[in-house]
Amino acid sequence: MSFPLLTATAAVPAVGAILTAAVPAARRTAAKWLALLVSLATLVLAGIVFARFEPGGDRYQLVESHSWIRDFGVRYELGVDGIGVALIALTALLIPFIVLAGWHDADPLETHSKRWRPTQGFFALILMVEAMVILSFEATDVFLFYILFEAMLIPMYFLIGGFGDRAHSGTDENAAAQRSYAAVKFLLYNLVGGLIMLAAVIGLYTVAGNFSLTEIAEARANGSLEMAGSTEKWLFLGFFFAFAVKAPLWPLHTWLPNAMGEATAPVAVLITAVVDKVGTFAMLRFCLGLFPEASKWATPAIVVLALISIVYGALVAVGQRDIKRLVAYASISHFGFIILGIFAMTSQGQSGATLYMVNHGISTAALMLVAGFLISRRGSRLIADYGGVQKVAPVLAGTFLIGGLATLSLPGLAPFVSEFLVLVGTFARYPVAGIVATTGIVLAALYVLVLYQRTMTGPVKEEVRSMPDLRPRELAVAAPLIAVLLFLGVFPKPLTDVVNPAVQHTMSDVQRTDPQPEVPVQNVEAAK
């Protein structure tokens, strides 16, 4: 293609971020509408990318390649496979809802320090994160990906630390301190992971002589690049550690509950539904693609860590008193399912893991954004401060219930398909791991239904008697997300058609085939 479609898909939100930040301070509403229009334009471009992608065609399509740092062989090299296309679509789909849900989250708010919240900066930072995430899903140059992987931490740091949740029971100073703590913890964890990855990126260049993912993979396939076993293992660990922090995987997960708890609900969705997907995506593209033998070597340990994430995240979610922290720990459990599907090394598991990335993003957005609407009305994140909401705000309660049911993977809603595929793929190779993982399903039903019971049912608490139901803007956020959950729950074919060929390429990289059934299929003619 002569038109750089992939570049344009990332450039539109990047330019939009600059323009939004440049809007005069007195024109806050204009900045909001500009951010929304830019996010919708990006969604249109992402739709064109999805439509232009040919599932049966080349592995990487819509390729762009230009020399960047010639002396070190660094290239501005982009290309998308089916997994990248699906995640670009997810990102572009969620950002307009994040912008719309956060419409008033950064309005001027006078505090004891007499500071004002810069509305334009809030929406500009969201668009900048979108640009970097989309470009990271497109990058096929390892160095370019690393730059984006690290650079997206900067706007996220300011979104967490500078625009925290207003529903805080303490003083303004205490709230600011907790936001600062959450933002610094997020930054330090991810910076440490990134620095370890940088050492691995340099090591990869030393061994391979370039940063191109496609060239390195081709050289390994034809035997012109040989990597010592110990070298491959160390490089794999350097990449995987950074991705496991971003994902996040137990025990590198502790930054997520703090970040999601202190951030606004839209920013919490941006963290777990968009940014964290870069980590699991990179496990498929870079860990398995660049280090197939080391990936197989590390699989048993990673499967155990994934199982711990599934069970631990769900158990801790059951005991949470804070709505947002409950969703955060539920996400840790769900990321365990995603990583388990990736390293089950089966086509069903990896297809399910990719679908899980998409479906978890949509279901978490539906639940967390509606929870944010609920919290903004009452001014509290504590579950105990609610009760009987369904009697005074039935539409809010209904949408909250559907988001919760999607989170526990109810059949008929999108996450069920992906969770089922992950479990089938895991059972095929690791039956014991599959059995352990199913406990996460039971615990998910427990924490979701208990959350709904305690907040929405029972006697109406005095503080929620005057609670208004969802407003038109809020319905415009919740209704389309629920519609997508229902559509993909009964008809996932548009995604599976795109994802499955990419998964087969990944399976080929690691030279794995699906296990054969232990009971052979009988010959029908012989049986007659």
Side-chain angles (χ1 to χ4, degrees):
M1 290 182 61
S2 57
F3 180 73
L5 182 58
L6 297 185
T7 295
T9 307
V12 166
V15 173
I18 297 171
L19 295 177
T20 301
V23 173
R27 305 295 299 275
R28 296 191 307 276
T29 303
K32 297 175 184 179
W33 281 106
L34 176 60
L36 181 60
L37 291 174
V38 168
S39 66
L40 291 173
T42 306
L43 177 59
V44 171
L45 288 172
I48 296 173
V49 171
F50 194 93
R52 291 284 182 88
F53 185 81
E54 299 178 6
D58 296 336
R59 179 172 186 175
Y60 294 107
Q61 300 179 30
L62 308 176
V63 174
E64 302 173 28
S65 183
H66 307 281
S67 180
W68 181 18
I69 308 176
R70 191 181 301 274
D71 291 342
F72 295 99
V74 179
R75 301 185 64 81
Y76 176 79
E77 191 172 84
L78 309 180
V80 287
D81 60 1
I83 300 169
V85 164
L87 293 174
I88 290 170
L90 169 69
T91 303
L93 174 68
L94 291 183
I95 296 299
F97 298 116
I98 289 173
V99 170
L100 202 56
W103 201 254
H104 297 300
D105 284 358
D107 285 348
L109 177 67
E110 192 172 9
T111 66
H112 295 302
S113 59
K114 304 298 183 184
R115 293 181 180 176
W116 296 82
R117 297 156 67 92
T119 305
Q120 288 86 338
F122 178 75
F123 293 100
L125 289 170
I126 290 174
L127 292 177
M128 188 57 68
V129 171
E130 179 183 25
M132 293 179 181
V133 170
I134 289 176
L135 204 56
S136 69
F137 291 141
E138 299 170 345
T140 57
D141 183 277
V142 177
F143 188 81
L144 173 62
F145 174 83
Y146 171 77
I147 294 297
L148 297 165
F149 187 83
E150 290 289 85
M152 68 180 69
L153 301 179
I154 299 171
M156 287 306 307
Y157 169 81
F158 288 109
L159 283 170
I160 297 168
F163 301 91
D165 192 351
R166 297 181 181 183
H168 199 284
S169 58
T171 64
D172 288 343
E173 289 78 4
N174 185 40
Q178 292 195 32
R179 287 199 302 270
S180 178
Y181 172 79
V184 170
K185 189 173 184 179
F186 161 82
L187 187 64
L188 289 179
Y189 266 66
N190 284 274
L191 275 179
V192 169
L195 289 173
I196 292 174
M197 180 183 169
L198 176 60
V201 169
I202 295 171
L204 179 66
Y205 178 77
T206 303
V207 173
N210 66 78
F211 294 106
S212 173
L213 173 67
T214 54
E215 291 184 16
I216 295 172
E218 183 179 350
R220 296 208 63 175
N222 62 30
S224 60
L225 172 61
E226 294 184 2
M227 196 178 298
S230 59
T231 301
E232 181 176 344
K233 290 174 183 177
W234 281 111
L235 294 178
F236 168 86
L237 290 174
F239 277 80
F240 181 79
F241 183 86
F243 303 152
V245 172
K246 182 84 78 178
L249 179 68
W250 184 93
L252 306 171
H253 66 285
T254 58
W255 62 267
L256 183 64
N258 295 101
M260 289 185 65
E262 297 304 322
T264 64
V267 172
V269 171
L270 187 65
I271 295 169
T272 190
V274 177
V275 173
D276 287 355
K277 298 303 186 301
V278 176
T280 47
F281 163 79
M283 291 180 189
L284 280 165
R285 173 169 283 191
F286 296 102
C287 286
L288 272 61
L290 293 173
F291 316 110
E293 295 303 319
S295 297
K296 291 186 283 188
W297 162 77
T299 288
I302 295 172
V303 167
V304 171
L305 293 177
L307 292 174
I308 295 174
S309 287
I310 291 170
V311 178
Y312 167 83
L315 280 173
V316 178
V318 171
Q320 287 302 301
R321 297 181 296 174
D322 183 310
I323 297 174
K324 293 170 70 177
R325 289 178 70 90
L326 185 151
V327 178
Y329 279 106
S331 292
I332 291 168
S333 181
H334 294 149
F335 275 105
F337 275 107
I338 294 170
I339 296 170
L340 179 65
I342 292 172
F343 285 90
M345 299 291 185
T346 60
S347 58
Q348 300 97 329
Q350 292 187 357
S351 293
T354 304
L355 291 179
Y356 215 133
M357 294 184 220
V358 177
N359 295 332
H360 168 263
I362 300 169
S363 62
T364 299
L367 179 61
M368 179 61 88
L369 293 179
V370 175
F373 300 149
L374 176 70
I375 292 168
S376 67
R377 284 158 165 75
R378 175 68 176 83
S380 173
R381 307 195 309 247
L382 298 179
I383 296 172
D385 288 341
Y386 297 88
V389 174
Q390 68 179 9
K391 296 178 182 178
V392 297
V395 177
L396 189 156
T399 53
F400 189 83
L401 177 61
I402 295 174
L405 293 176
T407 298
L408 63 82
S409 300
L410 183 77
L413 296 173
F416 170 75
V417 179
S418 45
E419 195 165 279
F420 178 78
L421 285 173
V422 166
L423 290 174
V424 168
T426 304
F427 269 115
R429 197 177 295 279
Y430 304 109
V432 175
I435 294 170
V436 174
T438 56
T439 61
I441 302 175
V442 178
L443 292 171
L446 181 60
Y447 62 69
V448 168
L449 296 178
V450 169
L451 171 64
Y452 183 82
Q453 179 189 34
R454 292 178 178 176
T455 56
M456 302 296 165
T457 65
V460 180
K461 290 203 171 183
E462 188 62 34
E463 294 82 1
V464 303
R465 286 188 182 279
S466 59
M467 180 177 290
D469 213 334
L470 290 184
R471 302 179 178 91
R473 173 182 61 86
E474 296 166 335
L475 276 172
V477 172
L481 291 173
I482 291 172
V484 174
L485 288 172
L486 290 168
F487 175 78
L488 293 178
V490 298
F491 190 63
K493 190 173 184 296
L495 279 180
T496 56
D497 285 348
V498 170
V499 166
N500 287 343
V503 166
Q504 292 303 322
H505 285 298
T506 304
M507 291 285 290
S508 177
D509 288 339
V510 294
Q511 298 178 347
R512 285 283 199 178
T513 57
D514 291 329
Q516 297 299 312
E518 293 185 5
V519 179
V521 178
Q522 293 183 351
N523 187 299
V524 177
E525 295 298 327
K528 291 181 179 179

